[in-house]
């Protein structure tokens, strides 16, 4: 049985661009190339780079977040005058996007575009590292729920709240079975065997949803980005820490005490999240490494740099 063909035919059902687009896919010499090279439909011109699986990763490393990983993709976007580009990690479960001007698009903007144009009903789910605050800068009345970082916690919350779309700061985007609600899935969805709810994260499905969304914009992806309120991210900062759980709690308590009087909201969903008028932070212990993860986001570069310096001083 040709499982790749079955999967490609399944994906094609969702690929419905409203106008012609030219897309560059960088498959990072991972598994996604086996699939995306077969996604040939009218209205799409696909250029695939680094599409042959190779465990030596000759083009660049398997993680798109590493420095220099998107250089090949940026060059190809310029060369082919593409509408945007997508880069997958090695196993294809994460996707990152570069606009038509060669700029990497933040994950919260990609999530926001899918919330607007993806056909999903609210509420939407984000992890604490992505944070709710940026979406309130974009649209103050958005219905956003925040949960702990990690597949287990995100999928558990999707089931609990009947959520159709979720986004994780690390480039994972999650969908309910066939993008529908649990009630619709129970009426015979082939992805919900036995009537059970089914949720998945997929870099390729994310790319398909973004293709559809961009094709329905009256302007380019770069224009969409530029029309949003400007904001600045620290990126996820990892700080090695050989501390006990007690000392980590002491650190979080110290940060909370230092910032409490100015905070609009404080949450302990996963580590410590604090929201302020023009910036927010999340600090938590990694689920997979003995490091502390720090994310900061602000409406101005000056505020970001000032608060980043203060927090790193406290942590270190």
């Amino acid at each position: 049985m040709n499982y790749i063909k079955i999967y490609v035919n399944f994906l094609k059902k969702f690929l419905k661009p409203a106008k012609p687009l030219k897309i560059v896919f960088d498959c990072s010499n991972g598994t996604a190339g086996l699939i995306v090279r077969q996604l040939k439909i009218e209205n799409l011109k696909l250029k695939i780079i680094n599409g042959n699986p190779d465990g030596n990763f000759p083009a660049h490393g398997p993680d798109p977040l590493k420095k220099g990983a998107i250089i090949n993709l940026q060059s190809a976007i310029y060369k082919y005058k593409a509408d945007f580009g997508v880069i997958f990690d090695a196993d294809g479960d994460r996707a990152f996007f570069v606009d038509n001007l060669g700029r990497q698009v933040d994950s919260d903007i990609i999530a926001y575009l899918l919330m607007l144009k993806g056909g999903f009903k609210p509420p939407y789910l984000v992890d604490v590292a992505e944070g709710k605050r940026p979406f309130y800068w974009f649209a103050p009345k958005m219905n956003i729920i925040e949960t702990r970082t990690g597949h287990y916690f995100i999928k558990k919350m999707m089931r609990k709240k009947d959520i159709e779309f979720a986004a994780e700061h690390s480039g994972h985007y999650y969908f309910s079975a066939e993008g529908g609600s649990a009630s619709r899935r129970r009426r015979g969805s082939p992805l919900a065997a036995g009537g059970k709810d089914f949720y998945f994260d997929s870099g390729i499905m994310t790319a398909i949803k973004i293709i559809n969304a961009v094709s329905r914009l009256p302007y380019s992806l770069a224009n969409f980005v530029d029309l949003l309120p400007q904001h600045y991210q620290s990126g996820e900062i990892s700080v090695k820490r050989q501390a006990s759980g007690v000392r980590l709690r002491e650190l979080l308590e110290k940060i909370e005490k230092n910032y409490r009087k100015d905070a609009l909201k404080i949450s302990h969903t996963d580590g410590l999240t604090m929201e302020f008028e023009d910036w927010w932070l999340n600090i938590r212990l990694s689920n997979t490494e003995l490091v502390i993860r720090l994310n900061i986001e602000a409406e101005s570069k000056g505020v970001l740099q000032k608060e980043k310096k203060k927090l790193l001083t406290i942590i270190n």
Side-chain angles (χ1 to χ4, degrees):
M1 191 173 274
N2 189 334
Y3 291 104
I4 289 181
K5 185 176 181 180
I6 292 170
Y7 185 42
V8 169
N9 288 337
F10 165 75
L11 291 170
K12 281 183 177 179
K13 293 191 301 181
F14 301 93
L15 193 51
K16 300 175 181 178
K19 64 183 179 185
L21 291 176
K22 188 182 294 183
I23 316 295
V24 179
F25 286 110
D26 185 341
C27 299
S28 302
N29 296 115
T31 56
L34 300 172
I35 307 301
V36 297
R37 65 166 60 111
Q38 298 187 45
L39 292 176
K40 296 176 182 178
I41 68 164
E42 192 178 354
N43 270 0
L44 275 189
K45 290 185 178 179
L46 304 183
K47 177 63 182 178
I48 298 171
I49 62 174
N50 308 319
N52 294 323
D54 185 338
N56 294 311
F57 304 108
H60 54 73
D63 184 357
L65 289 176
K66 295 297 185 183
K67 186 175 180 180
I70 66 169
I71 291 174
N72 289 171
L73 181 57
Q74 290 169 318
S75 298
I77 289 170
Y78 300 142
K79 180 178 179 180
Y80 297 105
K81 296 181 172 59
D83 293 286
F84 67 90
V86 188
I87 182 169
F88 302 105
D89 64 351
D91 60 353
D93 61 347
R94 291 187 294 153
F96 302 87
F97 296 83
V98 175
D99 69 19
N100 48 298
L101 299 182
R103 304 175 302 184
Q104 186 162 349
V105 183
D106 293 339
S107 60
D108 50 11
I109 293 177
I110 292 299
Y112 180 58
L113 178 54
L114 289 175
M115 292 171 188
L116 290 179
K117 300 290 186 180
F120 308 108
K121 70 174 179 63
Y124 312 109
L125 184 68
V126 299
D127 74 325
V128 295
E130 189 77 275
K132 293 189 293 186
R133 194 69 184 167
F135 299 98
Y136 296 150
W137 293 337
F138 300 154
K141 295 184 179 180
M142 289 202 77
N143 189 353
I144 306 285
I145 296 173
E146 203 171 74
T147 190
R148 291 184 64 179
T149 294
H151 284 62
Y152 172 79
F153 302 107
I154 290 171
K155 293 178 181 180
K156 182 179 180 181
M157 186 63 74
M158 290 181 79
R159 290 187 179 93
K160 181 179 179 181
K161 299 289 186 179
D162 188 18
I163 288 171
E164 296 185 2
F165 172 70
E168 198 173 11
H169 183 66
S170 58
H172 290 276
Y173 300 88
Y174 298 79
F175 309 92
S176 61
E178 300 197 12
S181 70
S183 59
R184 293 203 296 273
R185 290 195 300 279
R186 292 188 185 104
R187 293 200 293 268
S189 165
L191 292 182
K196 294 180 180 179
D197 299 342
F198 184 90
Y199 301 89
F200 63 97
D201 59 321
S202 167
I204 298 174
M205 182 63 82
T206 304
I208 287 171
K209 295 289 188 180
I210 289 294
I211 288 170
N212 293 342
V214 171
S215 77
R216 286 163 174 78
L217 293 175
Y219 34 66
S220 69
L221 179 56
N223 290 146
F224 177 79
V225 173
D226 290 339
L227 286 168
L228 293 174
Q230 200 164 23
H231 64 295
Y232 300 87
Q233 296 181 341
S234 65
E236 192 155 75
I237 301 167
S238 297
V239 181
K240 290 183 179 179
R241 188 161 184 85
Q242 304 296 327
S244 67
V246 173
R247 290 189 178 179
L248 176 64
R249 287 197 296 273
E250 289 173 355
L251 172 63
L252 298 185
E253 288 168 2
K254 184 176 182 180
I255 292 172
E256 183 173 345
K257 182 179 179 181
N258 280 9
Y259 284 97
R260 184 185 296 128
K261 66 181 178 62
D262 296 319
L264 300 177
K265 290 184 180 179
I266 299 173
S267 168
H268 302 96
T269 299
D270 191 353
L272 172 66
T273 300
M274 303 186 76
E275 297 182 31
F276 307 89
E277 189 64 40
D278 57 352
W279 72 287
W280 70 276
L281 71 91
N282 172 259
I283 180 168
R284 62 184 178 84
L285 192 64
S286 168
N287 292 327
T288 56
E289 301 176 72
L290 193 59
V291 296
I292 290 171
R293 308 285 195 200
L294 172 65
N295 281 281
I296 314 166
E297 200 161 358
E299 291 185 273
S300 76
K301 191 177 289 187
V303 170
L304 174 67
Q305 295 301 327
K306 181 182 75 172
E307 302 303 341
K308 176 181 172 181
K309 184 178 180 180
K310 284 170 61 177
L311 284 162
L312 288 177
T313 299
I314 294 171
I315 292 168
N316 291 320

